[in-house]
Amino acid sequence: MSKPSVYITTSDQPVLITEDGSVAGGSDSVKQFSFDHVFDQSYETCELYDKCLRGDLKQDALAGVNATVFAYGQTGTGKTHTMLGDGKLAGIIQMVSRDVLAAAQQHTSTVQVEASYIQLTTRHITDLLAEDAHEVGNLRIRENEAGEVTVERMTKHAVHTEEDVLDLVRRGSARRKTASTKLNVASSRSHAVLTLHVTVINAEGDGDEGDVATFSKINLVDLAGSERVKDSGVEGEHLREACGINLSLFHLAGVVQALIQGNAQVPYKNDLLCYLLKDALGGNCKTTLVATVSPAQLHAQESRSTLQFAASCSLVRNHAGVNTTVLQRERPWAAQAGTAKMSSKPKEAKKVPWHGVTPGGENCPGGRVDLETSLGLVSCLVYGSRELPLVLCLHGHPSTAEDSYGHWLMAALVHSGFLVVAMDMPGQGGSGTKKHCNGGQPLKTRRHVERIVAFHPSYNETQKDELKQVGASTLLIWCTADQFHSWPAWKGNAKKLQNSLGPRLYEEFIFKETAYGKHSWSLHTTAIERCVVRFLTGTDPVAEPSSVHARPLEAEAATDGTTVVRRDNIVMASQAAGLDRHIFQMRDAAREAASTFIDAFEAGKLPALYAAFVSGGSGCLKQEAARLFGSLPCLMSKDDVDCSLLVDLGLWSSMPNGWHAMQQTPRYYVGRRVLVRAPVCPRPNDPAFMALESERCSESGGRGQNQAEYTTFRAVISGFDPIRGGVDVDVECSDETCRTMRVDRAELLRLNQPHQLPIGPNGEVRLEDGIVLKKGSSLARAKFCEMALALRSVAESLDFDASPEECERLQCEAVAAIRGCLDLNTFQRDDRNRLVANGERFRDRDRYCGDDAARFAVHGQGHCHTVSSVMAVFLSAWQKALGIDLKYRGGFAFSDESAEVSDSPEHHQWLEFMTRPSCSMFTCDLYREDGPAGTGALLHQPIEQAYRKSLYPHGQLPVLSGFPVMIAASCASDFADSTC
């Protein structure tokens, strides 16, 4: 039976096909292609699937035979629709998943099905199912000794139903790169591969052998479409993507041609897609190609190329076979040795130094002790010397110290130099009191705790974002198979901790145990102990062989007979015995760069390096600056400078004392001054300026009848309404009395909560006048490092547990230090940085910086919008570290002669900041400070002075270059009355 054919002509004129299939007139523009099946636009995907795939694919998958289905064609011809469907009509992926999982459930043997979903661009492979969009990127392809191609670090997710697969597809597709072109409003800009990994445990081995299993992979591939750039109309980044896609498909065609021609070398490794599909093209796999073409004559050339490729693929011969393996059985002696394999960590090959040590013995002295506490009598296991740092071991219910820690961890901690106290929690064991305590509560600790190890923490937030208040370094340990502690249910809390603490303060050790019902997590005890000790001490307890700090040296004779010393940089494993492994450790490039920068800062070289870096020429100094600035680490963790990184890099000697506790202090409490809107006097010359005018106040609570309201600073919180959520505020009156006003909580936050500067689509900070800061740029990294060094003495002196007045002084000093790092003046100064006479304006062309905030910080000039924006973006990064809340203010600058302030139009911009924990508020006005009135005090002027004598804030949230400033989210600890 002959195969169905497709005819295509690239000439825009009718062509006749005769009854015998020949072309009348023998036109050269017509090409005939034959395929196993042909479907026109009247067919649905389900018909294609039923006729071509349904029967063989699910049977082969359960029999251990690999399969691949991929769609190939021009952009906009329906590849993604064919593979993924459209939400109403199922695609091939959904149909395959449905049939394979249904067959797996009916199978007489144990069947495990997992799914992975990856994206391939020109040079990168991305895991579309990674827990975090940035966690797993740039994956690598590896080929094992058997020739099987795998992707390193690719996540696999167990699936049991069709809906499980669809959920993963929806998650992954949301991250997949797409773009709108003239050919397709949602054009795929990457190749996507969903793989079902099927394992069938179908027989029992004999003797020491384990279960026999077959395994297979079903690759379901949605290729990015080929396109002619003049047809798709793409440009810029999308043009580069189109070129990369076409190049990838070109390499794919090259692989097919090499296979057809029988070449000894097939160029699979020329492209990531070709390498990944090595099994599908000439290897151990059954492969189906779905070629999608457009019926439009406009795209006839592209359609012909697609059909030509498909016809070539039909000539490739694969060699599919059954994949089998033997699953190793659990052995009792392996369990006793504690060497069970874990998915997240390599097996522990070496004995730990506390191996064989028993709590209470000579090397771990101690025993049970009863302690009198505020909770009553508490019984504890205490091991180690009283002079050592304390580790307090808590547990959940129902349990005792012996049950939780008697068989592990104690010896490890004592060996590592700690005093260990494991409590019978109140109400448990030997502790007499009946008052219960939750073992998960240390996660809420605020002071006196440096590090937290949380193993299956029995803790849930009682208030929104409570976990964001955790400040101590935290190690989270979890066995995902534990049936009493659900990892999926707690994973959201783990993500909150990770996002709040950042990579330097948060670690996790998540492991699986397939035989949990038999062993619990006991097979991983040694690995957990080692992880805990490493976290608490910063040192791996498994000792490396100690020897000399030198590379291998050997005396040899040179060609002229003289003696030379050979220094080997390539050292084979057989030569490494006796060498100190420190010589093989990678250099800490970030710390080295920071050290070099510190030297330049202390030598006064930074101004010259900055000038050389921003100059248009070249030279040795410019190259030195580019190397140094480019090698510096980014100090930012999300929107704030990472204090722990400053210490790690040597930029700071320590974090400010009491910093973690300060983060939990309230922002709003009775007696705190706040801004509110009220019908106050708007005339600066009037002694009642910004106060309520007594004779015009209503008796019902301070709001006047039909009076305009203004933003006043003459208000103090007097109480909270826990039921309605309002806040009572006492506003000063002209007769020196106060009237109480009820202010909505949302309105109070709008006027007083710290501001968040707008972030652009690429992570850049958006500012006024089109200025942006790219936090990862070389200049920005250098400026942040310079500021860190300028703030070093402040950070060493700043003690949030000391008097509020001393904290305020240092915090204001820090604001001035950050301003001192900005080589930025205003149009009030000439090219020699002198004040211009008679209030004239001057533009220094040498200070032109375009829209780069980092350039402005190096050598810039501007009006109040510009200088406030540049100061705001750098100061905002330090507000968490320094304990200040920043707000970007706009409003009215006035003199004593002004008749009346107004909310509009806006005449001036400045910054306002509040110090914590005192909640005193100050203005920071760079423009006026740079003018004739500047003495240094205007960088941190109390608002009682600034808003009484020269500035009026209209209270509206600014919009910077079309991007709105937002207020920071509040949390329960912001209010002294937690019920409010």
Side-chain angles (χ1 to χ4, degrees):
M1 182 178 178
S2 62
K3 292 183 178 182
S5 296
V6 174
Y7 294 85
I8 186 168
T9 177
T10 55
S11 176
D12 191 11
Q13 61 184 33
V15 176
L16 177 65
I17 308 299
T18 64
E19 292 180 356
D20 62 0
S22 62
V23 180
S27 174
D28 294 335
S29 64
V30 178
K31 183 71 174 177
Q32 176 185 3
F33 299 92
S34 296
F35 300 100
D36 296 314
H37 303 279
V38 175
F39 303 89
D40 63 23
Q41 57 266 39
S42 66
Y43 284 83
E44 293 183 354
T45 306
C46 61
E47 295 175 271
L48 179 153
Y49 178 75
D50 289 340
K51 196 166 185 179
C52 305
L53 297 170
R54 182 186 295 276
D56 293 341
L57 194 143
K58 64 181 179 182
Q59 295 175 6
D60 289 340
L62 297 176
V65 178
N66 295 331
T68 295
V69 181
F70 64 96
Y72 178 97
Q74 182 189 11
T75 295
T77 55
K79 298 180 302 301
T80 301
H81 174 83
T82 301
M83 297 303 295
L84 298 179
D86 59 5
K88 296 180 180 178
L89 298 176
I92 288 176
I93 288 177
Q94 184 175 352
M95 298 177 196
V96 170
S97 303
R98 177 191 305 155
D99 286 352
V100 170
L101 291 168
Q105 292 176 357
Q106 297 172 5
H107 205 278
T108 56
S109 301
T110 301
V111 181
Q112 299 172 352
V113 183
E114 296 176 299
S116 60
Y117 198 16
I118 59 175
Q119 168 183 260
L120 296 91
T121 55
T122 308
R123 297 183 179 88
H124 299 285
I125 301 178
T126 305
D127 190 343
L128 295 174
L129 300 180
E131 291 297 328
D132 186 291
H134 305 290
E135 271 184 2
V136 182
N138 198 18
L139 308 184
R140 294 186 177 183
I141 297 176
R142 290 286 184 260
E143 186 174 0
N144 60 24
E145 295 178 355
E148 181 187 11
V149 174
T150 58
V151 180
E152 281 187 347
R153 297 189 298 125
M154 176 182 69
T155 59
K156 297 178 183 178
H157 299 256
V159 290
H160 305 285
T161 65
E162 171 189 346
E163 191 58 33
D164 290 345
V165 178
L166 293 181
D167 284 343
L168 295 178
V169 169
R170 281 189 285 267
R171 277 176 49 194
S173 297
R175 293 180 179 172
R176 192 176 173 193
K177 297 188 71 173
T178 61
S180 178
T181 72
K182 292 181 180 179
L183 299 177
N184 191 351
V185 294
S187 173
S188 300
R189 314 308 291 172
S190 64
H191 310 303
V193 182
L194 177 81
T195 303
L196 298 179
H197 307 264
V198 183
T199 303
V200 181
I201 306 173
N202 51 23
E204 289 288 329
D206 297 324
D208 287 340
E209 294 182 352
D211 295 331
V212 177
T214 61
F215 61 93
S216 63
K217 295 186 298 184
I218 305 175
N219 296 315
L220 303 169
V221 187
D222 178 20
L223 298 177
S226 61
E227 62 186 60
R228 299 169 69 185
V229 173
K230 70 176 183 179
D231 291 339
S232 62
V234 294
E235 55 187 18
E237 180 64 25
H238 297 321
L239 174 59
R240 288 188 288 274
E241 290 172 352
C243 293
I245 292 167
N246 289 340
L247 178 61
S248 177
L249 298 175
F250 171 81
H251 287 309
L252 186 62
V255 167
V256 172
Q257 288 301 313
L259 290 168
I260 295 173
Q261 295 168 7
N263 294 352
Q265 295 293 330
V266 179
Y268 291 110
K269 294 185 180 181
N270 283 356
D271 180 76
L272 292 175
L273 175 68
C274 300
Y275 198 15
L276 183 67
L277 296 180
K278 182 178 179 181
D279 289 337
L281 299 171
N284 177 21
C285 189
K286 287 187 175 182
T287 302
T288 300
L289 170 67
V290 180
T292 60
V293 295
S294 168
Q297 185 63 41
L298 175 65
H299 305 304
Q301 192 64 52
E302 282 292 318
S303 296
R304 179 170 175 169
S305 297
T306 298
L307 295 172
Q308 181 66 61
F309 175 80
S312 299
C313 287
S314 67
L315 302 176
V316 175
R317 293 293 175 260
N318 287 3
H319 309 282
V322 176
N323 304 302
T324 61
T325 188
V326 176
L327 302 179
Q328 295 297 318
R329 287 179 176 159
E330 298 287 349
R331 293 177 171 84
W333 55 88
Q336 292 171 5
T339 57
K341 293 184 178 179
M342 295 180 296
S343 62
S344 58
K345 296 287 181 181
K347 69 177 183 179
E348 303 291 340
K350 300 178 181 179
K351 285 186 178 180
V352 290
W354 55 85
H355 179 74
V357 176
T358 303
E362 179 181 358
N363 295 321
C364 187
R368 183 162 287 280
V369 175
D370 292 335
L371 302 176
E372 287 290 345
T373 72
S374 59
L375 297 175
L377 186 67
V378 175
S379 184
C380 307
L381 292 176
V382 180
Y383 296 100
S385 172
R386 300 298 194 271
E387 292 78 26
L388 297 174
L390 172 66
V391 173
L392 184 63
C393 297
L394 309 179
H395 61 80
H397 297 287
S399 186
T400 64
E402 276 93 350
D403 294 338
S404 299
Y405 299 104
H407 59 290
W408 78 298
L409 193 59
M410 297 290 197
L413 293 174
V414 172
H415 176 273
S416 303
F418 294 102
L419 166 65
V420 186
V421 177
M423 299 169 54
D424 283 350
M425 297 296 284
Q428 301 292 315
S431 296
T433 178
K434 297 299 182 182
K435 182 175 181 179
H436 291 274
C437 293
N438 188 341
Q441 289 303 311
L443 282 174
K444 293 180 62 177
T445 186
R446 297 182 178 182
R447 305 184 63 176
H448 310 305
V449 175
E450 294 184 6
R451 293 178 179 269
I452 300 171
V453 178
F455 190 171
H456 293 160
S458 300
Y459 170 78
N460 287 301
E461 291 182 312
T462 57
Q463 295 175 335
K464 183 180 178 183
D465 294 333
E466 196 172 41
L467 279 172
K468 291 184 179 180
Q469 302 173 25
V470 176
S473 297
T474 301
L475 168 65
L476 178 67
I477 305 175
W478 210 289
C479 177
T480 57
D482 191 307
Q483 57 186 334
F484 299 107
H485 302 87
S486 171
W487 171 241
W490 219 85
K491 189 185 293 186
N493 289 332
K495 184 59 66 176
K496 285 184 180 180
L497 277 173
Q498 185 176 18
N499 292 339
S500 174
L501 294 172
R504 294 188 171 270
L505 295 180
Y506 176 83
E507 297 181 27
E508 61 181 29
F509 181 62
I510 313 299
F511 61 95
K512 297 179 181 178
E513 175 49 66
T514 55
Y516 186 84
K518 181 178 180 181
H519 303 291
S520 183
W521 48 267
S522 61
L523 299 180
H524 306 270
T525 299
T526 301
I528 297 172
E529 289 177 332
R530 183 175 175 183
C531 182
V532 170
V533 169
R534 187 188 302 120
F535 172 74
L536 294 178
T537 66
T539 304
D540 193 329
V542 177
E544 296 287 350
S546 59
S547 184
V548 295
H549 284 265
R551 73 184 87 191
L553 304 178
E554 187 173 343
E556 287 192 349
T559 54
D560 60 358
T562 58
T563 300
V564 296
V565 177
R566 189 182 79 190
R567 300 165 61 88
D568 291 336
N569 283 326
I570 305 298
V571 182
M572 312 306 288
S574 59
Q575 301 172 318
L579 295 178
D580 192 321
R581 296 305 174 96
H582 287 89
I583 68 173
F584 301 113
Q585 292 181 353
M586 297 295 292
R587 296 166 44 240
D588 189 341
R591 191 174 180 87
E592 289 183 4
S595 177
T596 303
F597 189 87
I598 293 172
D599 292 341
F601 174 84
E602 294 176 346
K605 289 181 58 178
L606 288 186
L609 290 172
Y610 285 137
F613 187 87
V614 300
S615 67
S618 59
C620 295
L621 193 59
K622 184 181 181 74
Q623 295 175 5
E624 179 185 349
R627 284 194 301 269
L628 175 57
F629 297 167
S631 61
L632 291 171
C634 180
L635 302 182
M636 303 289 285
S637 175
K638 290 193 174 180
D639 298 330
D640 303 295
V641 169
D642 185 343
C643 293
S644 62
L645 179 58
L646 299 179
V647 177
D648 289 345
L649 294 173
L651 297 171
W652 282 8
S653 60
S654 64
M655 295 171 60
N657 187 49
W659 183 83
H660 289 299
M662 177 273 298
Q663 298 293 318
Q664 317 309 324
T665 57
R667 287 184 167 94
Y668 305 100
Y669 51 84
V670 173
R672 187 215 143 161
R673 184 175 296 279
V674 291
L675 301 186
V676 297
R677 297 283 291 180
V680 295
C681 173
R683 299 178 299 278
N685 287 332
D686 194 318
F689 177 57
M690 289 294 118
L692 293 170
E693 297 180 274
S694 301
E695 66 277 8
R696 298 172 62 185
C697 291
S698 69
E699 298 298 329
S700 60
R703 295 189 184 275
Q705 300 295 327
N706 301 318
Q707 281 187 262
E709 292 189 341
Y710 300 89
T711 306
T712 179
F713 64 93
R714 300 177 72 167
V716 174
I717 295 176
S718 59
F720 300 99
D721 185 345
I723 299 176
R724 296 182 179 87
V727 181
D728 291 333
V729 177
D730 287 348
V731 183
E732 297 177 30
C733 297
S734 58
D735 60 1
E736 299 185 354
T737 63
C738 291
R739 292 292 179 89
T740 301
M741 294 174 49
R742 176 63 54 83
V743 179
D744 182 73
R745 176 173 173 172
E747 174 68 4
L748 185 78
L749 293 175
R750 186 185 70 82
L751 288 170
N752 297 277
Q753 194 70 353
H755 287 175
Q756 292 180 335
L757 298 176
I759 305 297
N762 297 315
E764 74 280 8
V765 185
R766 310 295 304 197
L767 304 166
E768 192 68 288
D769 299 330
I771 299 173
V772 300
L773 178 71
K774 298 178 180 177
K775 293 176 285 189
S777 70
S778 297
L779 266 184
R781 292 200 297 266
K783 269 298 169 185
F784 280 120
C785 286
E786 179 189 356
M787 291 174 183
L789 294 172
L791 294 169
R792 181 165 50 185
S793 61
V794 174
E796 292 171 351
S797 303
L798 190 57
D799 184 352
F800 291 107
D801 292 334
S803 68
E805 294 78 11
E806 179 62 13
C807 279
E808 284 179 18
R809 184 188 68 79
L810 289 169
Q811 288 164 319
C812 290
E813 183 181 320
V815 172
I818 292 173
R819 172 63 180 98
C821 293
L822 304 179
D823 181 6
L824 175 68
N825 67 20
T826 65
F827 295 142
Q828 303 170 98
R829 295 185 178 270
D830 62 16
D831 54 357
R832 297 185 181 180
N833 205 28
R834 300 173 302 187
L835 284 171
V836 180
N838 303 321
E840 296 181 2
R841 298 292 180 263
F842 181 89
R843 290 184 180 270
D844 185 352
R845 298 299 176 184
D846 288 342
R847 289 180 175 268
Y848 176 74
C849 301
D851 59 1
D852 186 353
R855 290 286 296 267
F856 277 101
V858 168
H859 194 63
Q861 185 182 47
H863 47 55
C864 64
H865 292 196
T866 302
V867 295
S868 295
S869 288
V870 175
M871 180 68 175
V873 75
F874 284 99
L875 181 56
S876 66
W878 292 97
Q879 58 181 336
K880 186 174 182 180
L882 298 172
I884 61 176
D885 286 350
L886 182 67
K887 291 173 276 290
Y888 196 112
R889 291 296 190 202
F892 195 93
F894 58 86
S895 62
D896 291 340
E897 292 74 28
S898 298
E900 189 170 295
V901 298
S902 173
D903 284 339
S904 62
E906 181 180 283
H907 292 297
H908 190 52
Q909 290 184 355
W910 65 94
L911 306 180
E912 177 186 301
F913 66 91
M914 182 189 78
T915 58
R916 299 178 69 187
S918 66
C919 292
S920 299
M921 294 190 287
F922 302 83
T923 61
C924 179
D925 192 338
L926 268 68
Y927 191 84
R928 292 194 306 126
E929 176 60 38
D930 197 50
T935 61
L938 298 182
L939 294 176
H940 38 74
Q941 186 177 24
I943 64 166
E944 295 88 345
Q945 299 175 18
Y947 292 163
R948 180 67 183 85
K949 296 180 179 180
S950 54
L951 298 174
Y952 167 70
H954 54 49
Q956 300 168 14
L957 288 174
V959 177
L960 307 181
S961 302
F963 293 82
V965 171
M966 307 296 289
I967 64 170
S970 64
C971 60
S973 64
D974 281 345
F975 287 80
D977 184 348
S978 60
T979 63
C980 181

